[in-house]
Amino acid sequence: MRFLFYIVALFAGATLSFEGGIYAELGKHIGKLETSFYNFFMGTIIIGLIWIFWGKGKLSYVMYAPKWSLIGGLLGGIYLTVIVISVPFVGVGVTMVSVMIGQLLMSMVIEHFGWLGSKKAKVNKEKIFAIVAMLIALILIN
């Protein structure tokens, strides 16, 4: 069953590369901030429709969630806008590998300290090697 989640995550990663390329092109035509707005506007409509028919949670409980947990929308906006700006300058590959390196580094820190409710997982030599390998990949594809 765990293997299925790896496949789904790989698919999600592939779609992010497409998204980066597509929105970089759209940004040339309508503007970078406008592209980010379009993405989140369309996403809101689509997820809103899915939520109306299949949502099981209680959106009104957002008032009781830890306030720090609401920052995800801001981070998503920053992420997408940086992608839209970066791809035309350095390309999809360099942008995505850079994003992955940032994700790996921060996930290692988060798990090392057990932040955000995550299970603690110490940084080890294998994880450091993975980061070094990704940095080498970044250099090689640049």
Side-chain angles (χ1 to χ4, degrees):
M1 183 64 167
R2 187 178 182 123
F3 181 74
L4 178 63
F5 288 103
Y6 290 145
I7 298 299
V8 171
L10 282 170
F11 176 75
T15 63
L16 286 178
S17 292
F18 274 109
E19 181 183 42
I22 290 167
Y23 283 141
E25 186 63 25
L26 183 61
K28 292 177 190 175
H29 297 282
I30 70 171
K32 292 168 180 23
L33 292 177
E34 293 78 4
T35 297
S36 290
F37 176 79
Y38 171 81
N39 171 276
F40 288 102
F41 180 73
M42 292 306 295
T44 299
I45 291 171
I46 292 165
I47 297 299
L49 289 171
I50 292 169
W51 167 65
I52 287 171
F53 294 104
W54 293 286
K56 302 230 186 290
K58 302 256 189 216
L59 189 57
S60 62
Y61 284 14
V62 75
M63 303 294 286
Y64 306 106
K67 299 306 176 223
W68 64 264
S69 69
L70 303 178
I71 199 168
L74 171 66
L75 297 176
I78 291 169
Y79 164 77
L80 181 67
T81 303
V82 168
I83 296 296
V84 170
I85 292 168
S86 297
V87 168
F89 291 105
V90 297
V92 175
V94 171
T95 300
M96 291 302 151
V97 171
S98 298
V99 165
M100 287 188 286
I101 292 169
Q103 289 174 327
L104 283 171
L105 282 169
M106 190 49 63
S107 67
M108 284 172 42
V109 170
I110 290 168
E111 289 179 347
H112 180 78
F113 293 106
W115 293 344
L116 308 174
S118 71
K119 181 179 161 187
K120 280 191 174 188
K122 296 291 181 193
V123 174
N124 57 32
K125 65 182 179 206
E126 289 85 4
K127 291 179 182 180
I128 292 171
F129 178 74
I131 295 294
V132 170
M134 292 296 291
L135 288 169
I136 291 169
L138 180 61
I139 292 165
L140 291 175
I141 67 167
N142 196 0

